């Protein structure tokens, strides 16, 4: 009888501790969102990083990873700091992708990681990896057509893309009247 009472007591204490932990995690997440609203990005990052440090598999962790990645992606700084911020953003997107492969934000995280690699880091092979993974796992997703376009134009300059689509930019003298569009992709 004593063992049964001890077991029940342990279960009750465990549920109480889990409830307290969840409240702490929720508090950190809500505080981070308030900091974002108030324009205090650094404080938001600190709260989100505390949350995932304490429990990287928390129910709030997927949103925390996604928000951290978004914050780092949008942070200003000198060119070296911006590169480091983009790398950190990709790192957080990867955490979400790896730890929560079935989360509703995972598809967007794969897309964003590919986009950052292509557009900001100019790491086209890594971007290609993310884009192909996206299309393999989410062929019917609303972003699939955008991913396909990104993949087809990976590493191309805007001028190259326009030329492939039949837009002749003419001479670069600033004469906009020289821009011609050919219906079949041939320049005039």
């Amino acid at each position: 009888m004593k063992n049964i009472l001890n077991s029940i007591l342990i279960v009750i204490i465990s549920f109480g501790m889990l409830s307290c932990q969840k409240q702490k995690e929720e508090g950190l997440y809500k505080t981070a969102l308030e900091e974002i609203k108030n324009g205090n990005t650094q404080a938001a990052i600190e709260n989100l990083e505390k949350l995932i440090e304490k429990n990287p598999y928390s129910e709030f962790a997927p949103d925390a990873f996604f928000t951290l990645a978004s914050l780092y992606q949008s942070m200003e700084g000198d060119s070296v700091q911006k590169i480091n911020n983009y790398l950190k953003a990709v790192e957080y997107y990867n955490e979400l992708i790896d730890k929560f492969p079935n989360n509703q934000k995972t598809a967007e995280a794969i897309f964003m990681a590919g986009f950052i690699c292509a557009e900001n880091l100019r790491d086209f092979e890594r971007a290609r990896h993310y884009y192909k993974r996206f299309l393999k796992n989410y062929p019917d997703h609303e972003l699939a057509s955008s991913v396909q376009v990104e993949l087809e134009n990976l590493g191309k300059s805007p001028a190259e893309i326009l030329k492939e689509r039949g837009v002749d930019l003419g001479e670069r003298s600033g004469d906009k009247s020289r821009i011609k569009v050919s219906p079949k992709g041939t320049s005039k």
Side-chain angles (χ1 to χ4, degrees), residues 4-174:
I4 293 172
L5 288 176
N6 284 340
S7 295
I8 292 172
L9 186 59
I10 290 172
V11 169
I12 291 171
I13 291 171
S14 295
F15 278 125
M17 290 174 64
L18 286 174
S19 178
C20 285
Q21 180 66 24
K22 182 180 175 183
Q23 288 175 345
K24 287 179 186 177
E25 292 167 359
E26 185 177 16
L28 285 169
Y29 186 70
K30 285 182 176 180
T31 301
L33 294 180
E34 279 300 314
E35 295 293 357
I36 292 168
K37 285 181 190 175
N38 295 331
N40 193 348
T41 303
Q42 195 56 46
I45 287 172
E46 289 168 11
N47 280 298
L48 293 168
E49 287 179 338
K50 274 185 211 172
L51 188 157
I52 59 173
E53 182 181 306
K54 289 181 183 211
N55 185 358
Y57 292 95
S58 154
E59 73 176 84
F60 299 98
D63 289 329
F65 285 125
F66 194 89
T67 304
L68 279 164
S70 299
L71 290 171
Y72 274 103
Q73 182 180 356
S74 64
M75 287 177 74
E76 295 297 322
D78 61 31
S79 58
V80 172
Q81 188 59 48
K82 285 204 67 86
I83 295 294
N84 288 331
N85 290 339
Y86 292 136
L87 291 169
K88 194 75 170 172
V90 171
E91 179 183 321
Y92 280 124
Y93 283 130
N94 276 324
E95 290 288 327
L96 170 58
I97 294 163
D98 294 341
K99 287 181 170 61
F100 301 94
N102 299 317
N103 186 275
Q104 65 183 12
K105 292 188 181 279
T106 301
E108 191 175 349
I110 294 170
F111 173 79
M112 291 307 300
F115 185 83
I116 293 169
C117 288
E119 300 298 321
N120 304 115
L121 300 174
R122 312 300 288 167
D123 185 345
F124 301 120
E125 285 310 307
R126 203 163 157 202
R128 185 179 322 284
H129 162 77
Y130 285 113
Y131 289 151
K132 285 184 174 184
R133 182 175 179 180
F134 182 97
L135 292 173
K136 179 183 175 194
N137 294 332
Y138 306 99
D140 298 323
H141 191 278
E142 65 183 326
L143 290 172
S145 61
S146 296
V147 172
Q148 188 62 46
V149 170
E150 288 289 329
L151 195 54
E152 290 168 2
N153 295 305
L154 207 53
K156 296 178 184 174
S157 70
E160 291 172 309
I161 295 167
L162 290 172
K163 186 175 180 180
E164 286 178 2
R165 295 191 176 157
V167 177
D168 179 10
L169 296 177
E171 295 178 24
R172 296 201 177 256
S173 65

Side-chain angles (χ1 to χ4, degrees), residues 168-184:
D168 179 10
L169 296 177
E171 295 178 24
R172 296 201 177 256
S173 65
D175 182 6
K176 293 181 182 177
S177 65
R178 297 196 38 91
I179 296 175
K180 299 175 186 171
V181 178
S182 173
K184 295 192 177 189

